[in-house]
Amino acid sequence: MSMISRAEDENHITLFSASSRRTTEEAVSRLSEPNTTGSATWYEPGTDFCFYASAYQTCLASKERLLNILTPAEIRDLEATRGIDTVLAKMNEVAAQIQQKTHKSVAEKRTADFINGFCDFAVKASGIVTTLLPQSPEYTVTFGVIMLIFKVCTFCIMRYNVAHLLLAKKEREDTLISFIQSLVDRLPVIDFYKNIFPTYDMKLAVASIYVGLTKLLEDALIYFRGGRLSKLLDAVIRPKEGKFHQQIQDIDRAIDRLNSLKTVANVAQQSDMNNMLQDAGHVVARIHQNLEGTTAALGQSMAFLNHKIDAIQVRTDQLLEFESFKYAFSLRQMILTLGPSLEDVDNEDLVRARSQDFSLTPKDTWDENGVLQELVVWSSSGCRTLLWIGGSSGNQDSWITPFALDMIEAFSTQELTLLYTLCNNTADIRFLTPSTLIKKLISQLLSQHPQLAFQHPRLFNEYRFRNATNFDRLWSIFAQLATLTREIFLIIDRIEKVLPDEDGDVQDKLIPRLLELAARSTSTGTDCDRVSIIVTSTLEAPEDISDDARLSEVYIDTGKRPRKRG
């Protein structure tokens, strides 16, 4: 019998035994003074770790992801915010600052509404977090995320006004104020967790609420701090996912489950308590007293054992990660001959490209020249064709590379595998051929997912990599890696800079294979081997593929009217 089903059968026991093993007298006392029941009743060391495992793993994963994305100053705020009191104190401080800077009565009202609503949300969310804190202090990261979201939004308020924040983003799937208000209306008040003796199912429901809330807050922080880059996410990702709306629905279902369990538990609790007091109250009290020492010792033993198991698991994961990295790195060295700075080559290309001073007017940039609408059209079809974006800006620098750089930055925050090549900014452009481009992509894939080679040595081994001396063999390795990888987003900037070699050129070799890759994603339609491809160029797509159904094309010369083809 599973732990969950067993919990359903033992709810009547849980009412008295799973909450710190109270005697009958103590249980009656607790029921008569429900507000004295603290968050400790929701977590018993050594027994409840399994119920909250999903919440704990989500917490750790969220923190790891954010540490790789946030700035050093944001990381300090994330780690320094340890409780709801810190959050509320900061909110009051910011509210006072905004009140001084805001003079119009309408703006003041909107500011007050926003801050009050956010405070209500923070307090209600703290009920879930505080309930889980006895398991681990890691859960305080949620307070840090709430603080960062508030700071991002209040920055907009102080720089512009609340109307800019709340009204100028109507086109988004969900605005910040709408999903916060939805959660404020649905999340239980803090006293909810103090007024009941939790059953196993209730603990599972709380874990589900925390998982949904954490994912929502994490995605919201990344999204709203993205500024203008969020427009790119809107154009490509949001129209097809509606992620915020779905996450709120998931949280709603978990809250409904918790509320229904509370109702059932209250009825059962009153009935069981009445019967117990009338028929067997003193017997049960003695049993609880006799077992109190035994269960406490058992709980300590289980906690110690769990700690040891966790330590072994951490060590095993570290060893696996090390061996995977070492094996993948050796394969990357075989396939690339770029010297000792192998790990930083792609980053160096990115830094080199970003250091350029592009001479563009506002009307030339991607957020003004019409390409966003083309991205929406492409994403509406599921991004299931290769998108060729060509463009120029008259005699000025082309807007294409700044667009590609912003796409890379925007999508680097998403939970997908981002691959890119900046063909006009490689370390030595004279050697950039279709083969070397694929080598770079293979290297990026192995760098992000070193476990793939370690888990599939028959496909990815030294012999095969050493003999990958032509484009076809290299492409075979890349295509198989892509098949085993979660959703890939591939950006190739300025593809016209790729030079031909003895294996062929871009038009004969590279583009046909990219079209095949896009077509394969169309036929499978799964996230596991789904590849979305954007190619940029200052030129139009070759005429021999312009009518290919696997290709979507747009060419925008900002000195002329936009023209779409394909």
Side-chain angles (χ1 to χ4, degrees):
M1 182 180 295
S2 69
M3 184 74 72
I4 297 175
S5 60
R6 180 184 172 189
E8 293 174 349
D9 293 337
E10 296 178 354
N11 277 348
H12 62 286
I13 299 176
T14 307
L15 293 172
F16 302 103
S17 63
S19 300
S20 303
R21 306 297 192 270
R22 304 171 191 69
T23 64
T24 304
E25 201 173 317
E26 291 170 332
V28 173
S29 175
R30 293 288 187 176
L31 284 175
S32 63
E33 299 179 9
N35 286 331
T36 62
T37 304
S39 59
T41 63
W42 286 84
Y43 181 75
E44 293 185 51
T47 57
D48 284 349
F49 67 94
C50 55
F51 301 116
Y52 298 124
S54 61
Y56 185 61
Q57 293 303 319
T58 299
C59 173
L60 296 181
S62 177
K63 184 176 182 179
E64 181 180 3
R65 183 187 178 196
L66 291 174
L67 291 178
N68 291 327
I69 293 173
L70 301 178
T71 65
E74 289 173 326
I75 291 175
R76 286 194 294 271
D77 286 340
L78 182 75
E79 296 178 338
T81 307
R82 311 300 294 177
I84 187 61
D85 292 341
T86 307
V87 177
L88 296 179
K90 183 63 177 178
M91 289 181 181
N92 289 330
E93 177 187 335
V94 173
Q97 294 175 1
I98 293 176
Q99 190 171 8
Q100 293 176 358
K101 292 176 177 290
T102 310
H103 303 292
K104 297 181 179 179
S105 59
V106 175
E108 286 180 358
K109 183 179 184 304
R110 287 173 176 165
T111 302
D113 289 344
F114 170 75
I115 293 178
N116 289 337
F118 205 95
C119 284
D120 289 342
F121 163 72
V123 170
K124 283 197 170 183
S126 71
I128 289 286
V129 180
T130 304
T131 299
L132 296 172
L133 273 178
Q135 182 187 14
S136 171
E138 292 288 349
Y139 288 108
T140 57
V141 70
T142 308
F143 293 127
V145 175
I146 292 174
M147 173 68 80
L148 289 175
I149 293 176
F150 182 75
K151 291 184 71 172
V152 167
C153 297
T154 51
F155 172 79
C156 294
I157 295 173
M158 297 172 70
R159 185 173 179 180
Y160 306 103
N161 52 53
V162 177
H164 173 84
L165 175 68
L166 302 185
L167 304 178
K169 299 177 180 178
K170 288 288 188 181
E171 295 150 358
R172 295 188 176 183
E173 186 74 20
D174 294 271
T175 61
L176 178 64
I177 196 66
S178 65
F179 80 71
I180 281 181
Q181 188 57 54
S182 174
L183 291 174
V184 167
D185 294 339
R186 300 287 289 127
L187 284 172
V189 297
I190 289 182
D191 284 347
F192 175 94
Y193 308 100
K194 299 178 180 180
N195 293 341
I196 57 175
F197 296 121
T199 63
Y200 294 154
D201 276 358
M202 289 180 186
K203 295 176 181 180
L204 290 170
V206 165
S208 297
I209 294 173
Y210 179 82
V211 169
L213 187 63
T214 299
K215 291 180 178 178
L216 177 64
L217 290 173
E218 177 188 329
D219 287 338
L221 174 60
I222 293 170
Y223 180 62
F224 284 99
R225 72 185 285 276
R228 65 189 286 266
L229 298 183
S230 294
K231 296 179 182 179
L232 294 171
L233 300 178
D234 285 338
V236 178
I237 293 182
R238 302 302 174 188
K240 69 180 181 183
E241 291 187 358
K243 183 178 283 187
F244 291 160
H245 179 69
Q246 182 59 51
Q247 288 171 332
I248 290 175
Q249 286 184 331
D250 293 341
I251 295 173
D252 280 346
R253 283 192 288 269
I255 292 173
D256 288 340
R257 174 69 172 159
L258 182 59
N259 286 329
S260 65
L261 288 170
K262 179 190 177 183
T263 302
V264 172
N266 283 340
V267 173
Q269 184 170 297
Q270 292 173 5
S271 175
D272 288 350
M273 180 66 75
N274 184 53
N275 292 335
M276 184 188 70
L277 289 174
Q278 291 179 359
D279 302 327
H282 297 293
V283 174
V284 174
R286 285 196 295 274
I287 292 174
H288 277 286
Q289 289 172 346
N290 292 334
L291 291 178
E292 188 174 14
T294 303
T295 54
L298 179 61
Q300 292 177 355
S301 300
M302 289 295 294
F304 178 78
L305 180 60
N306 292 332
H307 177 74
K308 289 296 184 182
I309 292 174
D310 288 343
I312 294 172
Q313 184 64 51
V314 169
R315 182 61 176 166
T316 302
D317 291 343
Q318 290 173 340
L319 289 173
L320 178 61
E321 182 179 1
F322 174 75
E323 291 299 330
S324 298
F325 174 82
K326 185 170 67 173
Y327 184 59
F329 189 80
S330 68
L331 296 180
R332 294 173 63 207
Q333 285 183 310
M334 288 179 189
I335 210 164
L336 285 174
T337 55
L338 299 178
S341 60
L342 175 65
E343 191 67 30
D344 299 322
V345 166
D346 294 315
N347 288 334
E348 289 176 359
D349 292 348
L350 199 56
V351 171
R352 186 182 300 107
R354 286 175 175 165
S355 66
Q356 296 181 45
D357 183 16
F358 296 98
S359 301
L360 296 173
T361 63
K363 73 177 183 65
D364 297 320
T365 59
W366 56 262
D367 40 359
E368 296 289 341
N369 65 19
V371 73
L372 279 176
Q373 289 78 4
E374 302 300 341
L375 287 173
V376 170
V377 172
W378 179 60
S379 66
S380 297
S381 65
C383 306
R384 299 189 183 280
T385 57
L386 185 153
L387 178 60
W388 183 291
I389 299 179
S392 60
S393 304
N395 295 326
Q396 304 179 93
D397 295 329
S398 175
W399 59 272
I400 288 295
T401 295
F403 164 74
L405 292 174
D406 285 342
M407 287 286 288
I408 292 169
E409 183 176 353
F411 282 88
S412 65
T413 64
Q414 301 303 298
E415 292 183 289
L416 48 74
T417 301
L418 175 66
L419 306 178
Y420 63 87
T421 299
L422 302 168
C423 301
N424 199 37
N425 290 277
T426 57
D428 196 337
I429 196 173
R430 295 174 300 170
F431 300 108
L432 183 62
T433 65
S435 293
T436 54
L437 187 150
I438 298 304
K439 288 181 180 181
K440 289 169 70 68
L441 297 181
I442 292 173
S443 177
Q444 288 183 30
L445 259 178
L446 288 177
S447 177
Q448 294 182 51
H449 303 288
Q451 75 282 0
L452 292 179
F454 196 73
Q455 293 170 352
H456 303 276
R458 293 186 179 182
L459 294 177
F460 314 113
N461 51 66
E462 294 182 4
Y463 175 81
R464 190 179 182 200
F465 273 58
R466 189 178 294 112
N467 286 278
T469 55
N470 58 48
F471 179 86
D472 291 333
R473 291 177 180 175
L474 289 166
W475 181 265
S476 176
I477 293 174
F478 173 70
Q480 288 178 320
L481 282 169
T483 300
L484 297 170
T485 305
R486 189 178 180 272
E487 185 175 5
I488 294 176
F489 202 94
L490 171 59
I491 300 172
I492 301 177
D493 179 51
R494 298 292 299 275
I495 196 172
E496 78 276 6
K497 293 295 184 179
V498 179
L499 303 174
D501 60 8
E502 61 273 11
D503 282 339
D505 58 20
V506 169
Q507 189 168 340
D508 295 333
K509 283 285 187 180
L510 183 58
I511 293 178
R513 293 299 177 88
L514 292 174
L515 290 171
E516 290 175 6
L517 193 59
R520 188 195 66 188
S521 295
T522 302
S523 62
T524 59
T526 63
D527 282 345
C528 291
D529 68 343
R530 168 152 175 174
V531 184
S532 302
I533 306 172
I534 293 181
V535 170
T536 72
S537 175
T538 57
L539 307 175
E540 297 183 17
E543 291 186 2
D544 60 340
I545 65 167
S546 60
D547 295 327
D548 197 309
R550 300 167 296 179
L551 176 76
S552 296
E553 183 196 0
V554 58
Y555 187 90
I556 298 176
D557 184 342
T558 55
K560 302 177 182 179
R561 294 182 62 184
R563 178 166 60 88
K564 179 184 174 184
R565 192 182 68 192

